[in-house]
Amino acid sequence: MTGKPTLAVVGATGAVGAVMLQILSQRADVWGEIRLIASPRSAGRKLAVRGEEIEVTALSEEAFDGVDVAMFDVPDEVAAQWAPIAVTRGAVVVDNSAAFRLDPEVPLVVPEVNPHAVRTRPRGIVANPNCTTLTMIVALGALHAEFGLRELVVSSYQAVSGAGRAGVETLRAQLSLVAGTELGTKPGDVRRAVGEDTGPFPEPVALNVVPWAGSLREDGWSSEEMKVRDEARKILGLPQLPVAVTCVRVPVITTHSLTVHARFQGEVSVDRAREILATAPGVVLCDDPATGEFPTPADVVGTDPTWVGRLRRALDDPTALELFVCGDNLRKGAALNTAQIAELVAADWGDRA
Ligand SMILES: NC(=O)c1ccc[n+]([C@@H]2O[C@H](COP(=O)([O-])OP(=O)(O)OC[C@H]3O[C@@H](n4cnc5c(N)ncnc54)[C@H](OP(=O)(O)O)[C@@H]3O)[C@@H](O)[C@H]2O)c1
């Protein structure tokens, strides 16, 4: 035993995995050995973490031998199959996929909001919320603690990297196809320019907005919209919270944005809301419309906090606030929150060791 826990990063070669390796190199080093795992396609590749080149190994049962904490940054079906195997090999799993988020025996954790939940993990798995939920939940958790949340109405403006490396490659390819062409005067111009292959999106995303993310669920809702509702309810401990969500994909590479209409139990003071957001851990208030100050993805990409601007009391409802939030979907929306959860697990491991 090194005195520090051994960590496995499963999915180290993906969009989230790449950011995870940066984050592990930047944060306080609580880990002993770090193992990098991906599909057999990537076995033998070398990736840098903590200033060291580490060879990627293929996912296998033996890869988890001696691992204390395993972060999973892989597709849902891979996590569903392999996370329980990692647990039987002795690891605590922190899973970034949707496979276990709504399992009542798996805590869904945001360290700024419900850190205590990490300790009750009967299946040995802790789930990380989806990136759209994470973009708003730290700010909303702080407001909820003071005012008591009663209802949410949310619209998202989601970056293409939310759909992984394939999403980024699709937007890059489409942008090169539309660059310099005369577009936008006739319906279908952009579609004709980019062709039939729209990657993980149902419509061209270059020079466009697409009101869809995920797969079809009942009554016309998308899977992404259901995740935002169900996960926000679980994290905040409000199982009946009314939540209306519309998810929209926009031609931004990284950083999701959301408009939020949040209704609370009683009348809210904007000044008090400002104080709460200005002092909440993990939140930056960037809100001075008179000088053009509000967050945009171009400015906040690559940063860790949730950025909040355009804070106003609702025009026709003194119990409601309107806000605009931005957060890097690959950092707090995925890798950073996973790393924070894993650090909470590691701190307990240190107590036991
Ligand atoms: N992107 C986001 O903003 C975001 C935010 C929150 C949560 N998530 C979730 O995080 C997970 C990873 O997302 P991503 O965007 O990083 O996806 P991605 O870019 O497509 O990367 C997928 C990763 O999974 C690995 N993988 C795929 N199939 C595998 C298999 N059969 N065995 C072992 N490894 C396999 C890939 O390895 P190879 O390179 O070897 O193929 C790669 O490392 C997903 O569950 C996603 O829903 C993503």
Side-chain angles (χ1 to χ4, degrees):
M1 188 183 283
T2 61
K4 288 181 171 183
T6 295
L7 174 71
V9 181
V10 187
T13 52
V16 176
V19 174
M20 181 63 81
L21 302 190
Q22 290 169 17
I23 284 175
L24 289 170
S25 305
Q26 291 161 350
R27 289 179 70 81
D29 192 5
V30 302
W31 305 108
E33 182 192 350
I34 295 183
R35 272 182 220 171
L36 306 184
I37 299 173
S39 80
R41 293 178 289 274
S42 304
R45 271 183 68 187
K46 290 200 167 166
L47 299 173
V49 58
R50 297 187 303 189
E52 204 188 320
E53 294 278 310
I54 299 181
E55 190 167 310
V56 176
T57 56
L59 183 56
S60 70
E61 296 197 18
E62 299 70 38
F64 294 107
D65 286 346
V67 169
D68 299 296
V69 179
M71 297 169 170
F72 273 65
D73 300 316
V74 292
D76 297 350
E77 64 282 6
V78 181
Q81 180 187 349
W82 284 90
I85 293 171
V87 172
T88 60
R89 292 267 165 169
V92 174
V93 167
V94 184
D95 180 35
N96 222 325
S97 82
F100 302 98
R101 288 181 191 144
L102 299 182
D103 183 327
E105 296 199 310
V106 173
L108 184 63
V109 176
V110 181
E112 294 86 346
V113 182
N114 61 344
H116 51 277
V118 84
R119 290 197 156 152
T120 310
R121 43 176 195 255
R123 295 193 63 183
I125 300 170
V126 182
N128 190 65
N130 123 300
C131 46
T132 314
T133 311
L134 272 169
T135 302
M136 65 178 185
I137 207 73
V138 177
L140 283 177
L143 294 170
H144 170 58
E146 174 92 3
F147 299 126
L149 198 55
R150 287 192 67 178
E151 185 184 5
L152 282 176
V153 182
V154 177
S155 291
S156 74
Y157 305 76
Q158 295 183 219
V160 294
S161 61
R165 281 176 316 194
V168 177
E169 284 158 16
T170 297
L171 177 58
R172 289 219 170 102
Q174 291 182 356
L175 285 174
S176 70
L177 291 168
V178 299
T181 55
E182 181 86 12
L183 293 170
T185 55
K186 291 192 293 300
D189 271 353
V190 174
R191 179 175 271 290
R192 277 188 289 279
V194 304
E196 287 308 309
D197 181 9
T198 56
F201 312 117
E203 294 288 331
V205 70
L207 305 184
N208 210 3
V209 296
V210 182
W212 192 258
S215 51
L216 183 62
R217 292 291 184 265
E218 272 179 35
D219 298 326
W221 292 94
S222 74
S223 56
E224 186 83 351
E225 290 159 351
M226 299 312 290
K227 284 179 193 173
V228 174
R229 182 188 73 153
D230 295 343
E231 295 179 21
R233 287 174 164 185
K234 182 168 175 177
I235 296 160
L236 296 170
L238 297 171
Q240 305 300 327
L241 183 73
V243 183
V245 196
T246 303
C247 287
V248 181
R249 191 76 64 182
V250 295
V252 167
I253 300 269
T254 298
T255 293
H256 289 352
S257 306
L258 278 74
T259 57
V260 179
H261 171 90
R263 192 162 64 83
F264 298 93
Q265 281 164 5
E267 201 161 310
V268 284
S269 143
V270 175
D271 288 343
R272 181 67 192 126
R274 245 177 235 295
E275 278 172 19
I276 292 165
L277 293 171
T279 53
V283 178
V284 175
L285 184 64
C286 170
D287 187 27
D288 185 2
T291 59
E293 276 230 335
F294 31 71
T296 70
D299 290 324
V300 316
V301 62
T303 67
D304 286 345
T306 299
W307 294 72
V308 181
R310 303 298 323 280
L311 181 65
R312 293 149 287 155
R313 196 154 83 164
L315 278 177
D316 302 314
D317 182 353
T319 69
L321 292 171
E322 314 288 348
L323 44 151
F324 181 75
V325 260
C326 281
D328 186 319
N329 54 295
L330 296 175
R331 291 185 75 90
K332 184 61 183 173
L336 174 62
N337 201 70
T338 305
Q340 289 174 298
I341 296 171
E343 287 166 12
L344 291 177
V345 175
D348 286 349
W349 185 92
D351 292 345
R352 286 203 320 271

